[in-house]
Amino acid sequence: MASQGKKLINDPNDVVTEFIEGLVETYPGLQYLDGFPEVKVVLRADHASAMLDKVAIISGGGSGHEPAHAGFVGEGMLSAAICGEVFTSPQVDAILAGIRAVTGPMGCLLIVKNYTGDRLNFGLAAEQAKSEGYKVETVIVGDDCALPPPRGIAGRRGLAGTILVHKVAGAAAAAGLSLDEVAAEAKRASEMVGTMGVALSVCTLPGQVTSDRLGPGKMELGLGIHGEPGAALADLQPVEVVVSHVLQQILSPETNYVPITRGNRVVLLVNGLGATPGMELMIAAGKAVPQLQLEHGLAVDRVYTGSFMTSLDMAGFSISIMKADEAFLQRLDAATKAPYWPVGVDGNRPPAKIPVPLPLSHSAKSDESLSRPQQLSEQGHLLEMAIEAAVNAIIDLRDNLNEWDGRVGDGDCGSTMYRGATAILEDMKKQYTIFCKAACVQLKANTQSVVTSKQWAEALEASIAAVSKYGGASAGFRTLLDALIPASAVLQERLNAGDDPCTAFLLSSEAAVAGAESTKHMQAQAGRSTYISSDILATVPDPGAMAAAAWYRAAAIAIKNNYQRHE
C-alpha cells in the first residue's frame, strides 16, 4: 500500500533552495547566486580569480541527486553547478547565469547528462552564451548500460559515471589546459565509463506518497535516477549475485557499451542511491573487486565507494566501471577542494592492509615450531643444497624472465621470482624451514622417520594438484604447470621402474625443461598471456614455466652432484 513519505522538510516547493543554503553554510568554499527561486546556482567562492586563466567546468541538472552536482563544486572539479527543481532540468536563464558568473577568457565546458530536458536547456544556454562572446563547449554523458541498444534518439541515460567525468575535466582545467583539450579529455572519459543500477525500494518525492511498485522480496535492475521503473523486476538475490549480474551487463561484449576487455586497468565506483547504509555499499565493493579481477581479468586501480549521485531516498546502488590509464589516474588523483569527492586532499591511498603483529606467546611458539633443527640429517643437507641451487638459478635467470614476460605479459616475472628467491634465502639465514603448504600436508601424513623418494614424488603431485585447483589451469594452458606436470609424470614413472632416485629426479628435470620449451606452441588459456596474439606467443616460452623448469633442474643437479659426493 502506498503511504505518505516522512521527510525533514518545510514546504516541498522550497527543498532545493533550502538545501543550497545549508550547503554553503557548511562549506565556506562555496557560494550561490542571489537569484532564488528561478536561479539556483552553486559556485566556487574563488571563482573570480579562477576564471582569469582556467577553463570553467559547469554541470547540473535536476535536484534530488545530492551530493551531485553541487557537492562537487570546488577547485579541481566543477566551477559551478546549476540546480533544477527535484528531477527537473534547470531553466535556460539559470544555466546562462551560471555561465556568465564563472566563465573567463579561457571559456567553459558544459558537462550534461543525457536527458532530453538537460540537453535542450543547456544547449539553448550555450548558444546564447556564444552569441554574447563566450567560448563554450559541451560534452554529453550517457553511461547507462542497463538497456540494450538501440535506444532511438534518446540514447543512453547519464548516471553516476558522470562524476568521474567531472573529476577528469576539473583536473584537466586546473592543470591549465585549453578549452579544446579539456573537452577532449572529458569526452574520452565519458566514452570509457559504464554504469548500471539496482533498486531495492522506490524513492519518495517531497510532499508525495511513496509508490508501492516494488513488492516484498523484489528488486529492480537497470533503473534510472528519477524514480522511473527499471529494465527488469527480479527476486532479491545475495549481493554477490547482484554484483555479478551488474558487472556482466556493463562489460558485456555483445552490447559493447564500454571498450573494456581482459587485461585492461579500470576504476570502480560503487554509488549509493540515497538510503543504502555504508556497510552495504562496502560489501558490494568488496564483492566487486575480486570479481573484476578473477572473472573479468581486469586490474582494479582505484575504488571509490559512497553516495555520489543519489535518487532521493531510494535504497539500492549503482556500479560504474571506467577504463583507466595513467593519464586518467593522474586526473583522478589530482588535488581537489570539492567537498564530496572521496579523496579530496591529494589522492594518496594507503595500502589496503598491513600485517597484524602476532601475540608474543604465539610468536614464540611459531618460532620454536619453525626453527631449524640443530643437526640436519643427510636428507636435510641435500634438501638445503637443492633449495639454494634452485633459488640461485632463479636469481641468475631474472633478466631473461623479464625479457620474455615483457613480450607476452607485463614484464615483471623475473623481478617477482627474484623477490621470492631472495626472500627464501633470507628465511634460510634466519633458520626457518621452507615447505610448500600442499607438499607439507602430504609429507606430514607420513608416520615414518624417513621420507622416501616415492613420498617426495607424491608430495610434488599434491602440490601440482593444489596449484591446478586454485589457479584453474591444467596441462596445455601455457603456465608453469606445463613444466611441472611432465616432470612429476616422469619422476613417478622412473621410480616405479626401479631407477635410482637421483637419476629419476634428473630425468624428470629434463622433462620439466622440455615441457617449458613446448609452451611456445601453446595458446595461452590462463594469466596475462591470454591477451597476447598467438603470433607473438609462438616466439617466446611461458616465463612461469621456464622459471619452474629452471629451479627444478637446478635442484635436481644439486641433489645428483652432492649425493654422489656423499657416496
Side-chain angles (χ1 to χ4, degrees):
M1 179 181 294
S3 61
Q4 182 73 41
K6 297 178 181 179
K7 298 290 180 182
L8 291 171
I9 61 173
N10 298 309
D11 187 333
N13 296 316
D14 296 336
V15 292
V16 179
T17 56
E18 292 183 348
F19 154 72
I20 292 174
E21 289 169 344
L23 181 73
V24 299
E25 291 292 350
T26 302
Y27 299 105
L30 304 180
Q31 293 180 314
Y32 65 89
L33 295 181
D34 187 12
F36 288 166
E38 290 79 14
V39 174
K40 296 182 280 291
V41 177
V42 176
L43 64 160
R44 289 171 53 175
D46 64 346
H47 66 278
S49 59
M51 63 191 294
L52 296 177
D53 59 352
K54 297 288 191 300
V55 171
I57 308 296
I58 301 174
S59 190
S63 294
H65 307 305
E66 292 73 28
H69 296 82
F72 298 105
V73 173
E75 181 182 345
M77 278 193 83
L78 300 180
S79 306
I82 322 299
C83 305
E85 295 298 335
V86 173
F87 295 169
T88 304
S89 298
Q91 299 178 16
V92 173
D93 287 345
I95 300 168
L96 192 57
I99 294 173
R100 291 169 177 157
V102 299
T103 305
M106 294 287 285
C108 75
L109 173 66
L110 305 180
I111 299 177
V112 183
K113 300 192 305 301
N114 189 30
Y115 295 98
T116 302
D118 286 355
R119 293 187 65 156
L120 287 174
N121 289 358
F122 275 88
L124 288 170
E127 292 305 313
Q128 177 62 33
K130 289 177 184 177
S131 72
E132 296 176 10
Y134 292 98
K135 295 192 293 184
V136 182
E137 292 290 342
T138 302
V139 168
I140 307 295
V141 182
D143 55 317
D144 180 20
C145 296
L147 303 174
R151 301 310 308 163
I153 61 172
R156 298 162 60 190
R157 299 171 291 193
L159 301 175
T162 309
I163 305 303
L164 297 174
V165 180
H166 288 167
K167 185 63 176 67
V168 170
L177 272 63
S178 69
L179 177 58
D180 288 343
E181 291 170 329
V182 173
E185 287 205 20
K187 185 174 187 300
R188 190 167 76 93
S190 72
E191 294 168 347
M192 298 295 164
V193 64
T195 300
M196 181 175 171
V198 176
L200 307 183
S201 71
V202 179
C203 64
T204 306
L205 275 68
Q208 298 189 22
V209 297
T210 304
S211 168
D212 59 355
R213 187 176 75 233
L214 281 182
K218 297 291 183 179
M219 62 181 180
E220 277 186 337
L221 304 172
L223 65 147
I225 52 173
H226 302 104
E228 65 268 45
L233 186 67
D235 292 333
L236 185 62
Q237 298 290 325
V239 66
E240 194 165 32
V241 176
V242 177
V243 167
S244 176
H245 175 81
V246 171
L247 294 182
Q248 289 173 7
Q249 186 78 9
I250 296 173
L251 300 170
S252 168
E254 284 76 23
T255 54
N256 197 32
Y257 272 140
V258 287
I260 298 174
T261 56
R262 297 186 72 87
N264 287 162
R265 305 165 66 182
V266 297
V267 166
L268 167 67
L269 184 143
V270 179
N271 170 60
L273 294 177
T276 308
M279 174 185 285
E280 295 178 24
L281 295 178
M282 289 300 174
I283 291 172
K287 301 302 180 184
V289 172
Q291 288 187 24
L292 287 169
Q293 293 170 331
L294 300 177
E295 296 178 19
H296 298 277
L298 301 173
V300 183
D301 281 340
R302 299 289 186 276
V303 179
Y304 304 109
T305 302
S307 294
F308 301 88
M309 185 175 287
T310 65
S311 184
L312 292 169
D313 60 350
M314 181 178 286
F317 68 95
S318 67
I319 288 179
S320 301
I321 308 294
M322 186 172 81
K323 185 177 181 180
D325 55 25
E326 283 302 324
F328 277 155
L329 293 178
Q330 287 180 12
R331 299 303 187 209
L332 294 173
D333 287 347
T336 178
K337 293 182 180 178
Y340 282 90
W341 179 252
V343 189
V345 180
D346 58 9
N348 290 336
R349 299 172 64 87
K353 58 184 177 181
I354 59 174
V356 177
L358 294 174
L360 289 177
S361 59
H362 189 108
S363 298
K365 182 178 179 181
S366 297
D367 288 351
E368 181 180 350
S369 63
L370 292 177
S371 63
R372 169 180 171 162
Q374 292 183 351
Q375 294 293 328
L376 286 176
S377 66
E378 182 177 349
Q379 280 191 331
H381 280 294
L382 287 173
L383 177 60
E384 184 177 54
M385 293 174 186
I387 293 173
E388 289 180 349
V391 297
N392 284 322
I394 293 297
I395 290 171
D396 293 340
L397 202 58
R398 175 177 59 176
D399 293 339
N400 286 338
L401 291 173
N402 279 339
E403 179 186 352
W404 295 328
D405 198 36
R407 295 161 69 181
V408 299
D410 58 0
D412 69 347
C413 179
S415 299
T416 301
M417 292 286 187
Y418 175 85
R419 287 193 294 270
T422 53
I424 290 173
L425 286 179
E426 188 62 27
D427 279 346
M428 290 178 71
K429 291 178 184 177
K430 295 177 181 177
Q431 299 186 341
Y432 285 103
T433 306
I434 308 301
F435 280 108
C436 170
K437 286 192 176 181
C440 185
V441 171
Q442 185 72 23
L443 293 172
K444 278 185 175 180
N446 173 43
T447 58
Q448 305 300 317
S449 59
V450 177
V451 180
T452 67
S453 300
K454 287 189 177 181
Q455 287 168 335
W456 278 110
E458 289 168 358
L460 173 62
E461 188 176 36
S463 298
I464 292 171
V467 172
S468 180
K469 174 184 176 181
Y470 294 110
S474 57
F477 275 45
R478 206 178 197 275
T479 70
L480 59 81
L481 293 181
D482 291 304
L484 295 180
I485 289 174
S488 178
V490 170
L491 183 61
Q492 295 268 16
E493 176 188 330
R494 299 320 309 165
L495 288 175
N496 290 335
D499 283 7
D500 171 78
C502 290
T503 302
F505 194 10
L506 201 62
L507 290 173
S508 68
S509 73
E510 294 173 359
V513 173
E517 290 286 351
S518 73
T519 58
K520 287 182 182 179
H521 312 295
M522 297 178 184
Q523 178 61 45
Q525 299 182 60
R528 288 185 174 88
S529 293
T530 54
Y531 323 131
I532 308 299
S533 71
S534 56
D535 291 341
I536 295 176
L537 293 178
T539 66
V540 181
D542 179 69
M546 294 299 289
W551 65 253
Y552 191 98
R553 176 71 172 165
I557 293 173
I559 291 288
K560 181 71 173 177
N561 292 340
N562 286 283
Y563 189 80
Q564 289 176 338
R565 190 176 305 155
H566 283 81
E567 289 181 333

